[in-house]
Amino acid sequence: MNTEAAGRAGSEPRWRIGQLAEATGVSVRSLRHYDRIGLLVPSGRNAVGHRRYTDPDVRRLHQLVALRGFGLSLAEVGRVLDGTGADPRELLRQQLDQVEQRIVVAQRLRHTLLGVLGALDDTVEPSLPQLVELIEGMTAMQRPLTPEQLEQMVEERRQAMAELSPDELAELARQRQRYADQLSAEELAEMRRGRAALLPPGWGQPTSA
Amino acid sequence: MNTEAAGRAGSEPRWRIGQLAEATGVSVRSLRHYDRIGLLVPSGRNAVGHRRYTDPDVRRLHQLVALRGFGLSLAEVGRVLDGTGADPRELLRQQLDQVEQRIVVAQRLRHTLLGVLGALDDTVEPSLPQLVELIEGMTAMQRPLTPEQLEQMVEERRQAMAELSPDELAELARQRQRYADQLSAEELAEMRRGRAALLPPGWGQPTSA
DNA sequence: TTGCTCCTCACGTCACGTGAGGTGGC
DNA sequence: TTGCTCCTCACGTCACGTGAGGTGGC
């Protein structure tokens, strides 16, 4: 009597791959991939080979997505779901360690980037070689620029400045302001600290046009 | 007169690939890779085809490593070094954005992991399905477990508890303590908060054996 | 003369994305 | 009957790692 009475046995409302993808946000391609590697093999196929997922399949998919979200590899996810392999809590602890490492590394990189950007924002359109030299000096070399390098950059900057029209200067100032407006107070402070570390004393003040 | 007088012309002390790798920490395989994709083509080869790097090549390598360290792809690095492509400062700003995004995501994940681990440390060897259910409940579903789910887990835990020998219980307590000792006060606090979010009120207190 | 270094394929990694070319389902 | 969905290859991604099999350099 019901609309589209599905097979009664064991409640098997079967999902098509596209429906499942739409409902879970997992791509069709990913679902096929999980099938191929044996991580999530649909319980059935229809007569022409189309995948049909059952509710338990869907449940496994949810678990898969949750574990994958913790950064486990698909191989690890498979081992956890199948009860093989190490204590999953140990895996989660390792993930925690890795995430904390990643945070530290990313924060260090953020600091360096702010420093370099701070130094660059103090320059007027440095030439590419100059810029690369600056980056090189700040990172690979792990030390501030030498006074001679700096003097040369300053001189070249002065030259470039002198060749700019008032309009161009105004545009540069606007650009810089737009960028500064996007930064938080904390980021600006960090940028200043980074610049201070790179440049010799007395170079901290922005050349307010 | 000198030992191994190299070619006088333009100071060309040529490096072998192995020496360069040793000196810079970049693998031989990476150097060959950079050669193949045209990012760092050694200035010469000897009679039998061995790569020979000049000082300018080494300089470019240093710059390459610095830029790569900012998270630029090798394609972007190539464009910056060759002066093609967009303003490198714009690239660095994009990298900054990405790094900050990564930090936020990683911190969120860290928080979730601490919450799950906190909840798991309150249980006695949950079965794999239970554990996966817990993880599923905390993440994919974005909501705490229902009272029924929780009640079932509690009951199963009680069963598991009852089947443990005193020695096994003591070992469990030791394990848990060892893990807690590795955590900072801040992490423990965050873990408690995570657990509080997962479990209904009144479930916060660790069952101190 | 013996290692040591170097060479070029070429497949593997990881989790899919992206067509190509074709067939059934609603 | 027309789209829409689904199918299976199979190559591409990204930055290399890792042998295989072989030849010159010190």
Side-chain angles (χ1 to χ4, degrees):
Chain A
M1 289 294 205
N2 287 344
T3 55
E4 291 186 312
R8 285 275 97 169
S11 84
E12 301 283 322
R14 301 182 160 258
W15 297 66
R16 309 186 58 164
I17 194 168
Q19 295 170 336
L20 192 52
E22 172 118 14
T24 61
V26 177
S27 74
V28 169
R29 180 59 175 98
S30 291
L31 291 171
R32 292 209 186 101
H33 183 59
Y34 300 155
D35 182 3
R36 152 177 286 249
I37 66 175
L39 183 55
L40 178 68
V41 179
S43 293
R45 299 261 183 156
N46 75 356
V48 291
H50 290 194
R51 293 170 179 80
R52 288 299 133 96
Y53 294 86
T54 65
D55 279 348
D57 293 340
V58 175
R59 185 121 203 288
R60 186 174 167 97
L61 176 58
H62 281 145
Q63 295 164 348
L64 190 167
V65 169
L67 290 167
R68 191 190 56 177
F70 287 136
L72 301 196
S73 69
L74 294 184
E76 286 168 330
V77 169
R79 269 175 255 138
V80 170
L81 290 182
D82 295 342
T84 334
D87 181 357
R89 288 173 299 182
E90 191 46 46
L91 275 181
L92 295 190
R93 281 174 206 136
Q94 289 172 15
Q95 285 309 121
L96 180 61
D97 282 351
Q98 283 184 29
V99 169
E100 293 185 336
Q101 274 301 313
R102 280 216 308 274
I103 291 174
V104 169
V105 169
Q107 279 171 341
R108 203 147 46 203
L109 178 52
R110 183 183 109 103
H111 186 79
T112 307
L113 280 169
L114 280 169
V116 171
L117 281 169
L120 290 181
D121 262 29
D122 237 10
T123 72
V124 175
E125 298 291 334
S127 67
L128 268 299
Q130 275 185 309
L131 190 146
V132 167
E133 183 173 353
L134 175 64
I135 290 168
E136 197 184 353
M138 262 208 88
T139 58
M141 300 311 171
Q142 310 281 27
R143 51 156 175 74
L145 298 174
T146 67
E148 295 76 35
Q149 290 174 313
L150 194 71
E151 195 46 56
Q152 193 192 342
M153 285 185 69
V154 169
E155 182 50 40
E156 293 184 35
R157 260 180 254 153
R158 226 189 296 276
Q159 290 267 348
M161 268 286 230
E163 286 167 13
L164 291 179
S165 71
D167 279 358
E168 287 170 324
L169 277 174
E171 174 54 25
L172 258 180
R174 273 195 300 277
Q175 269 185 20
R176 206 172 298 168
Q177 189 58 47
R178 264 202 308 278
Y179 180 54
D181 289 346
Q182 293 171 13
L183 296 175
S184 68
E186 189 228 345
E187 285 174 329
L188 283 171
E190 196 159 355
M191 205 175 241
R192 272 192 286 278
R193 282 199 300 279
R195 183 163 55 213
L198 177 67
L199 304 177
W203 269 84
Q205 300 78 331
T207 57
S208 56
Chain B
M1 291 291 209
N2 288 344
T3 54
E4 289 185 312
R8 286 275 97 170
S11 83
E12 302 283 322
R14 301 181 161 259
W15 297 65
R16 307 186 59 163
I17 194 169
Q19 296 170 336
L20 192 53
E22 172 118 15
T24 61
V26 177
S27 75
V28 168
R29 181 58 175 98
S30 292
L31 290 171
R32 291 208 187 102
H33 184 59
Y34 300 154
D35 182 3
R36 153 179 284 251
I37 67 175
L39 183 54
L40 179 68
V41 180
S43 294
R45 299 260 184 158
N46 75 356
V48 292
H50 291 192
R51 293 169 180 80
R52 289 297 134 96
Y53 294 85
T54 65
D55 279 348
D57 294 338
V58 175
R59 185 124 201 286
R60 186 174 167 98
L61 176 59
H62 282 145
Q63 295 164 347
L64 190 168
V65 169
L67 290 167
R68 191 189 57 177
F70 286 136
L72 300 196
S73 70
L74 294 185
E76 286 168 331
V77 168
R79 270 175 255 136
V80 170
L81 290 181
D82 295 342
T84 332
D87 181 355
R89 287 174 300 182
E90 191 48 46
L91 275 181
L92 294 190
R93 280 174 207 137
Q94 289 172 14
Q95 286 310 119
L96 180 61
D97 282 351
Q98 284 184 28
V99 168
E100 294 186 336
Q101 274 301 313
R102 281 216 308 274
I103 290 173
V104 169
V105 169
Q107 279 171 341
R108 204 147 45 205
L109 177 53
R110 184 183 108 102
H111 186 79
T112 307
L113 280 169
L114 280 169
V116 171
L117 283 170
L120 291 182
D121 262 29
D122 236 12
T123 73
V124 176
E125 296 292 333
S127 68
L128 267 301
Q130 277 184 309
L131 190 146
V132 167
E133 183 174 352
L134 175 64
I135 289 167
E136 196 185 354
M138 261 207 87
T139 58
M141 299 311 172
Q142 310 281 26
R143 51 159 176 72
L145 297 174
T146 68
E148 296 75 36
Q149 290 174 314
L150 193 70
E151 195 47 55
Q152 193 192 343
M153 284 185 69
V154 169
E155 183 49 42
E156 294 184 34
R157 260 179 255 153
R158 227 188 295 277
Q159 291 268 349
M161 267 285 231
E163 287 166 13
L164 291 179
S165 70
D167 279 358
E168 287 171 324
L169 277 173
E171 174 56 25
L172 259 180
R174 272 196 299 277
Q175 270 185 20
R176 205 172 298 166
Q177 189 58 48
R178 264 204 308 279
Y179 179 53
D181 290 346
Q182 293 171 12
L183 296 175
S184 68
E186 188 229 346
E187 285 174 328
L188 284 171
E190 196 159 355
M191 207 175 241
R192 271 191 288 277
R193 282 198 300 278
R195 183 164 56 212
L198 177 68
L199 304 178
W203 271 85
Q205 298 78 332
T207 56
S208 55

